[in-house]
Amino acid sequence: MLLGAMLAFVPIAAVDHLLDAYVRVKETDIAGRSVAAVTRSIETGVADALASLDRISAENRSTCTPTFLASIERAIEASFSLKQVLVENSDAVQYCAAFGRTVRYSPLSAALPTGEEGETIRVVSMGDIALPALQISRSSGSERIVSVFVPLIGATTEGLERAIPAGGMIRVLLADGNPVATIGDPKPFEGRASADQFIFSQGFAGQLPIKVESAVPFATVRAGYADLDVSFTVIACLMSAAFLILAIHSVRHSRVSGFELERAIARGEMRPCYQPVINLRTGELVGCEVLCRWQKRSGEIVSPGAFIDYAESSGLAIPMTLSLMQQVKYDLGELCTLMPELKISINLFEGHFRDGSIVEDVQAIFGGSAVDFRQLVFEITERKPLGNSQQAHSVIAGLHALGARLAMDDAGTGHSNLAYLQTLGVDVIKIDRVFIDMIKPGTTNVPVLDGLIAMARDLECEIVAEGVETEAQALYLRAHGVLQAQGFIFSPALRAEAFKELALALHQATIPPSRTPGLVADAA
């Protein structure tokens, strides 16, 4: 119940985590597109500048002539991004520039190659441009250099700042890591911010040695999803409420409290049912398995799955088994006298072998009764091995000393091996229905099942097949030497009176009427 309640609140607890993940993915994509827009702007400006430089070079064989000056002025007027063209030498001595101006600029970085032979690019500051500019230079002759100037980013500082969320920033760096422009709050890149606090993105301007980075505070963009957060929380609350209601309903209908179970045992609400075990060769009834059924006073039947595991883990399986054995003694005592070879299988739990008192309980209940100890078979399940404890071996030895036998239930479903079963002293192997279900009409061999049968023979154990439901299964088992079986093909688990009627009917069919004792005559 506690686990169900905790799981019910998982959707609410998960809302923030899921929405955070959604916001981070979406805003990272948005930031990436913003960076891509800036890098495209840089690429476009540089491409325009290079195209203008190519046209100027193609139209003029020499520099600083009236024709050259007219050509560069036309190029500037025709270009959106080109701001100035300058001819100078390697010592920065200026020979000419568009419109007869002296170009005032200051380098902000070293010149880096653009990838084209003889071309370099560097970042400079120009007096009439707020943001840094790019100077793209190409040699002209042996002494002169022609440079074109374009803005680093084709937008104003104010426009970029309005586009950046509060606390965010964009910066431009050269390939050598030297930052040349920062717009917004530089804190994200000062080494104090983590990936959890900010959404980072970066990109390169094509083949140019320029990188653009951006950072946006996660808390800032997350606040923009407040409406979605409220909607998700409402939906999660509804889901949690529905899950909690279903969990409570399920617990009420599938589980019981220790008090309820203990009271049911004391009231005798735990009733034994008997599933017949049939000899596949003769059709005789050779025994039965005692199965526990909880019938409340109201007539409601509680499924074994709702209480068996709890009974075992809580220790209530021990008094429950004692109650069943008492009822078995009274239900089947007279039948056991009539049919001295009838075997009664009773399930024990791991706790019985730790407690150790089960041997004394069996002796106290069945001692001196019509049920002989040798007619008792006590089943242990392979799904929960007993281990190799001294106490368990002592209990098994005690049961054997009384004349009772030990059966391994659910054989093949656990991890038992030949040596383990030999150590326990198992007398009967009960093959689980999961292996019986492997037998289909026309099946000639089932390797896993055949292996279990061979193992039982090696141990010189009797074999009982559980869950037999079809004629094909019964015939296959009989053909492979398995002579005892139980399952719906013969009968489901029956109440005491119905089981005794069936037992008497089968017994009466196998013996002459003159030899039928009083119980049969009374039943007639």
Side-chain angles (χ1 to χ4, degrees), residues 53 56-57 60-64 68 86-89 95 118 137-147:
L53 192 55
I56 293 169
S57 298
N60 301 275
R61 287 181 167 275
S62 57
T63 58
C64 295
F68 176 83
L86 170 67
V87 179
E88 60 185 351
N89 64 14
Y95 294 113
S137 303
R138 179 186 294 171
S139 298
S140 177
S142 59
E143 296 182 357
R144 296 192 176 190
I145 299 171
V146 179
S147 299

Side-chain angles (χ1 to χ4, degrees), residues 321-336:
T321 304
L322 295 181
S323 173
L324 290 175
M325 289 195 297
Q326 290 282 4
Q327 294 177 72
V328 167
K329 179 178 69 172
Y330 294 115
D331 287 346
L332 303 185
E334 196 171 354
L335 189 63
C336 286

Side-chain angles (χ1 to χ4, degrees), residues 105-434:
Y105 71 93
S106 300
L108 298 178
S109 71
L112 298 174
T114 64
E116 297 292 335
E117 185 176 356
E119 289 180 1
T120 61
I121 185 171
R122 66 178 174 181
V123 181
V124 298
S125 63
M126 300 183 70
D128 57 346
I129 301 177
L131 288 171
L134 294 176
Q135 179 187 12
I136 302 165
S137 303
R138 179 186 294 171
S139 298
S140 177
S142 59
E143 296 182 357
R144 296 192 176 190
I145 299 171
V146 179
S147 299
V148 292
F149 295 84
V150 293
L152 178 63
I153 302 173
T156 64
T157 303
E158 293 76 11
L160 289 171
E161 288 179 343
R162 285 195 299 269
I164 300 173
M169 62 88 67
I170 291 178
R171 73 173 178 176
V172 181
L173 308 88
L174 294 180
D176 59 5
N178 181 31
V180 294
T182 300
I183 302 166
D185 188 348
K187 289 181 181 178
F189 293 102
E190 290 180 353
R192 297 191 299 272
S194 68
D196 292 335
Q197 296 174 310
F198 287 84
I199 293 176
F200 294 98
S201 184
Q202 66 177 19
F204 289 87
Q207 300 299 317
L208 299 172
I210 298 174
K211 180 170 73 171
V212 178
E213 296 178 334
S214 76
V216 181
F218 180 75
T220 300
V221 295
R222 177 66 169 76
Y225 291 81
D227 291 344
L228 192 59
D229 196 353
V230 172
S231 300
F232 277 12
T233 301
V234 170
I235 294 172
C237 288
L238 294 174
M239 291 174 61
S240 295
F243 186 88
L244 186 59
I245 291 171
L246 289 174
I248 292 172
H249 178 79
S250 176
V251 168
R252 286 180 174 177
H253 286 78
S254 65
R255 297 221 171 256
V256 295
S257 68
F259 173 74
E260 285 182 297
L261 186 58
E262 189 172 2
R263 185 176 60 179
I265 295 170
R267 287 179 172 180
E269 294 178 0
M270 297 297 174
R271 304 289 180 83
C273 285
Y274 305 93
Q275 184 166 39
V277 178
I278 302 297
N279 186 307
L280 293 176
R281 180 172 294 167
T282 66
E284 292 180 278
L285 177 73
V286 294
C288 63
E289 180 180 356
V290 180
L291 301 174
C292 184
R293 297 292 183 264
W294 180 358
Q295 181 176 354
K296 295 185 176 183
R297 291 185 175 182
S298 62
E300 177 187 355
I301 303 296
V302 181
S303 168
F307 65 89
I308 290 294
D309 287 343
Y310 178 78
E312 184 173 3
S313 63
S314 65
L316 289 173
I318 293 177
M320 184 176 71
T321 304
L322 295 181
S323 173
L324 290 175
M325 289 195 297
Q326 290 282 4
Q327 294 177 72
V328 167
K329 179 178 69 172
Y330 294 115
D331 287 346
L332 303 185
E334 196 171 354
L335 189 63
C336 286
T337 301
L338 173 66
M339 303 174 62
E341 298 304 316
L342 186 72
K343 304 300 181 186
I344 303 170
S345 295
I346 300 172
N347 289 281
L348 297 183
F349 301 94
E350 189 267 342
H352 287 109
F353 294 86
R354 284 187 286 105
D355 179 80
S357 63
I358 185 64
V359 177
E360 296 176 2
D361 293 332
V362 170
Q363 192 168 17
I365 293 171
F366 294 106
S369 74
V371 180
D372 195 281
F373 290 127
R374 66 181 182 82
Q375 292 180 289
L376 298 174
V377 180
F378 292 99
E379 297 188 13
I380 56 176
T381 178
E382 190 184 358
R383 298 180 194 273
K384 297 181 179 179
L386 299 180
N388 201 30
S389 70
Q390 183 177 352
Q391 181 65 48
H393 285 284
S394 175
V395 170
I396 293 170
L399 294 174
H400 277 148
L402 292 176
R405 298 196 299 168
L406 187 70
M408 176 60 72
D409 196 14
D410 307 317
T413 60
H415 306 284
S416 300
N417 53 35
L418 191 63
Y420 172 75
L421 295 176
Q422 286 176 323
T423 301
L424 288 180
V426 171
D427 305 294
V428 181
I429 297 292
K430 301 194 72 173
I431 299 176
D432 190 82
R433 67 176 300 159
V434 68

